[in-house]
Amino acid sequence: MGERAMKIIMLGAPGAGKGTQAKKIAEKYSIPHISTGDIFRANIKENTPLGAKVKGYMDEGLLVPDELVADLVVDRVDKDDCVNGYVLDGFPRTIPQAEALSNALDNKGQSIDFAIDVEVPDGNIVKRMSGRRACIGCGATYHLEFAPPIKEGHCDKCEGELILRDDDKAETVMKRLSVYHEQTMPLIEYYKKAGKLRIVDGTLDIDEVFNAIAEILEA
Ligand code: AP5
Ligand code: MG
Ligand code: ZN
């Protein structure tokens, strides 16, 4: 085990900045960034059986069934690169997923250290999503206004093409937001009760949000 407890969950609405912050945490503390959304998108791109199962749900802005997610993450956090911790981005997203994770960790005498809620009001979300661009090569995320790439339309890291995600159309974003309120927000109370919840103001600049998170992790 590393010196610091670093089993981290990112909570927050679609577009709150979970992925943006998770990448920075992973880089700074040298732990894996595990994004269920990225895993599913990679599977869709590679036409795997899992990709075929999840695509319809994702395109509609709905959650994929718990049983397609929970085992996948439980297996992933068992890998060697997770011994010093990890940052989970987009999982858990329902109470049953949180319980599946907690049971799996319990069995190993472990538990989550922090659930960080990146708080952004619904009103800011649509603008965030419509400006987001993702690299088809490496998955890096940009924003036309708030985090533009150096060269328009191309990834800073791998030169890949930048595209708008299929589920970032305004109407799908609205659906994802309502799904978030109904199915994922209960996790805030769940982790609060467990004493793991930390809240950061996700409306600040990307670097300011990250500073607030680093303070929590290093406290
Ligand atoms: P997923 O990929 O997890 O999408 P999401 O939760 O909807 O979140 P996003 O990735 O859209 O937003 P984010 O919070 O990562 O924001 P980002 O950093 O990109 O899931 C997609 C789908 O997969 C789900 O709908 C579901 O179908 C399925 N799925 C995945 N996991 C599942 C699970 N566990 N169970 C069931 N189904 C699951 O930032 C957004 C934009 O804002 C970017 O352009 C960024 O540059 C910009 N930005 C970020 N921070 C700031 C800031 N502080 N100021 C200004 N701009 C900022
Ligand atoms: Mg994301
Ligand atoms: Zn790239």
Side-chain angles (χ1 to χ4, degrees), residues 15-129:
K18 301 181 295 296
T20 300
Q21 297 300 329
K23 284 195 181 80
K24 292 172 82 72
I25 295 169
E27 209 165 293
K28 175 156 183 180
Y29 301 104
S30 303
I31 53 176
H33 167 208
I34 302 172
S35 158
T36 44
D38 288 354
I39 293 171
F40 291 146
R41 280 184 289 277
N43 275 273
I44 291 171
K45 200 172 136 197
E46 286 154 26
N47 289 309
T48 68
L50 177 64
K53 280 185 203 156
V54 300
K55 184 174 190 317
Y57 297 104
M58 289 180 73
D59 286 349
E60 297 276 312
L62 303 173
L63 295 185
V64 317
D66 289 336
E67 57 271 24
L68 292 179
V69 193
D71 291 349
L72 182 139
V73 176
V74 165
D75 289 347
R76 179 65 188 83
V77 300
D78 244 349
K79 296 250 153 67
D80 289 347
D81 64 341
C82 290
V83 288
N84 293 326
Y86 40 81
V87 49
L88 297 180
D89 161 16
F91 179 95
R93 247 185 166 90
T94 63
I95 298 282
Q97 289 180 22
E99 283 176 345
L101 177 67
S102 156
N103 290 338
L105 292 178
D106 265 356
N107 288 337
K108 300 192 282 182
Q110 300 179 351
S111 63
I112 282 298
D113 300 300
F114 300 105
I116 297 175
D117 178 28
V118 182
E119 234 179 25
V120 175
D122 285 7
N124 301 32
I125 295 290
V126 176
K127 187 172 184 199
R128 288 251 183 123
M129 304 301 232

Side-chain angles (χ1 to χ4, degrees), residues 134-142 154-162:
C135 172
I136 54 168
C138 72
T141 307
Y142 300 87
H154 293 275
C155 179
D156 293 353
K157 292 176 185 122
C158 78
E159 291 276 306
E161 188 193 345
L162 302 183

